Amino acid sequence: MTGNNFSSKMETMDKKGYTPLEIVDKREWREDFFSLFFHSPLLTSSLRSGHFLMVRDPDAPTLLSRPFSMGRLFHDEGVFELFFQVVGKGTESMARKRVGDTLSVLGPLGNPFPLEKPGRVLLIAGGRGISPFLSALPVLAESKRDYSLLYGAKTARTLLFRPFLADFPVSYRTDDGSFGQRGLVVDGLSREVDLVFACGPEKMLERVALFYKDLPTEVYLSLEERMGCGTGICYGCARKVRTDRGVEMVRVCEEGPVFEASRVVWDE
Ligand SMILES: Cc1cc2nc3c(=O)[nH]c(=O)nc-3n(C[C@H](O)[C@H](O)[C@H](O)COP(=O)(O)OP(=O)(O)OC[C@H]3O[C@@H](n4cnc5c(N)ncnc54)[C@H](O)[C@@H]3O)c2cc1C
Ligand code: FES
């Protein structure tokens, strides 16, 4: 995705605030993983790791919008990436899109990871939870911080982005030992860090929260709640979270998706 010159089109919004964006590139990974690339200098410069976008297919008006983190940001070209796994109708329709097709995008939404906090940082990614860290890594590298990424997947085949990640301090884990250390990411957690930012399956996030529960490390988790509107209107994403007033249902799209681990209430 480097060296391309994309002509600057006006980014116009529809009545609901969505901007139709043309797909300028597509990558089919394997095992149902895809990347779509969009030219939007405005979004590319304003997206921060942990933000999300609501994505709607204008050719499938009956499908609800779906939330996605952005992947890599190509600032020179004004291009951002959506990296996703096909799990149902919405992602299936996105995977069928071709270069030149259009998707409607709303964002940036939600609160990003507080990357600016001082201290030694550990990023923890499980599977497609790598998305938000693809933009966090260059930011952390630029800031000359002590940081590293722990990235796990089921097998080497689904441990993606390795050429890109080669520029950063990363330790890999696979469930079957086909790349990096054998085992789950939660088996490789370090106590020697001040800040943890994690994204991945709910069970992984819960175990990360449990591991650091009694340690001074500050832990922030990006929650993948199902969403309807993404903008605080429908309450479709409400989830139990600890607040100053006790345990309350809060809208993940408004207050999250990034939460301090100590605030998250896990299902029994
Ligand atoms: C803030 C945020 C960021 C996200 N970023 C990414 C990303 O970068 N890449 C990516 O691949 N996915 C991401 N997701 C998840 C993505 O939104 C869902 O996979 C997508 O909405 C599924 O839509 P679908 O129509 O294909 O599946 P559906 O037909 O809606 O569902 C198919 C199956 O997936 C389950 N499912 C759907 N949504 C979720 C969810 N949020 N959590 C758990 N299970 C779910 C359903 O229960 C069902 O079993 C993110 C979600 C959130 C909230
Ligand atoms: S998704 Fe509608 S309120 Fe959060």
Side-chain angles (χ1 to χ4, degrees):
M1 273 308 309
T2 51
N4 290 318
N5 277 320
F6 298 104
S7 57
S8 260
K9 285 188 191 156
M10 274 284 281
E11 295 178 22
T12 47
M13 292 177 188
D14 68 13
K15 281 185 202 146
K16 291 188 171 168
Y18 280 76
T19 306
L21 292 179
E22 188 181 317
I23 296 163
V24 296
D25 205 353
K26 176 177 180 180
R27 165 113 199 224
E28 301 192 31
W29 301 88
R30 42 184 95 99
E31 315 254 344
D32 291 335
F33 288 96
F34 293 82
S35 287
L36 297 177
F37 299 86
F38 301 86
H39 179 237
S40 169
L42 201 61
L43 275 176
T44 305
S45 62
S46 49
L47 285 163
R48 302 281 175 271
S49 171
H51 274 145
F52 68 96
L53 298 158
M54 292 302 283
V55 179
R56 203 174 58 194
D57 182 353
D59 300 326
T62 53
L63 277 183
L64 282 175
S65 307
R66 301 288 194 263
F68 296 93
S69 310
M70 77 293 179
R72 289 169 289 179
L73 298 173
F74 301 89
H75 290 284
D76 290 349
E77 292 105 334
V79 168
F80 72 89
E81 173 183 34
L82 289 185
F83 164 66
F84 62 95
Q85 183 177 17
V86 173
V87 295
K89 282 196 175 134
T91 43
E92 263 166 28
S93 101
M94 285 168 65
R96 281 196 298 271
K97 294 286 164 195
R98 297 182 181 164
V99 172
D101 289 346
T102 297
L103 285 173
S104 295
V105 171
L106 175 69
L109 298 168
N111 299 299
F113 285 108
L115 292 184
E116 67 291 346
K117 285 200 162 223
R120 297 160 298 172
V121 177
L122 175 63
L123 307 174
I124 304 171
R128 68 185 189 220
I130 188 66
S131 278
F133 301 134
L134 297 171
S135 64
L137 285 164
V139 174
L140 291 168
E142 180 86 5
S143 69
K144 309 267 187 288
R145 306 268 297 279
D146 181 347
Y147 73 98
S148 63
L149 166 69
L150 177 59
Y151 176 23
K154 287 202 171 97
T155 75
R157 285 179 60 73
T158 51
L159 204 58
L160 304 173
F161 296 100
R162 276 182 271 153
F164 169 79
L165 295 173
D167 289 340
F168 305 100
V170 182
S171 41
Y172 295 98
R173 289 201 160 234
T174 46
D175 296 3
D176 63 0
S178 51
F179 193 86
Q181 281 193 281
R182 178 192 290 270
L184 304 174
V185 279
V186 286
D187 300 327
L189 301 179
S190 162
R191 290 165 189 268
E192 307 300 314
V193 289
D194 305 300
L195 282 162
V196 164
F197 303 121
C199 185
E202 180 93 357
K203 277 280 158 235
M204 181 199 95
L205 297 181
E206 185 175 358
R207 286 190 59 186
V208 169
L210 191 66
F211 181 89
Y212 289 103
K213 192 165 172 273
D214 299 318
L215 297 175
T217 309
E218 277 185 60
V219 179
Y220 293 85
L221 311 173
S222 180
L223 301 183
E224 258 200 24
E225 209 56 51
R226 300 204 70 175
M227 291 186 182
C229 65
T231 54
I233 299 164
C234 72
Y235 278 76
C237 62
R239 165 171 190 148
K240 277 187 203 162
V241 166
R242 287 183 193 86
T243 70
D244 297 342
R245 295 172 295 279
V247 172
E248 292 186 337
M249 296 297 278
V250 306
R251 289 162 296 178
V252 171
C253 66
E254 282 280 292
E255 290 215 25
V258 174
F259 287 90
E260 256 189 276
S262 56
R263 293 187 60 202
V264 178
V265 177
W266 304 101
D267 281 341
E268 297 291 301

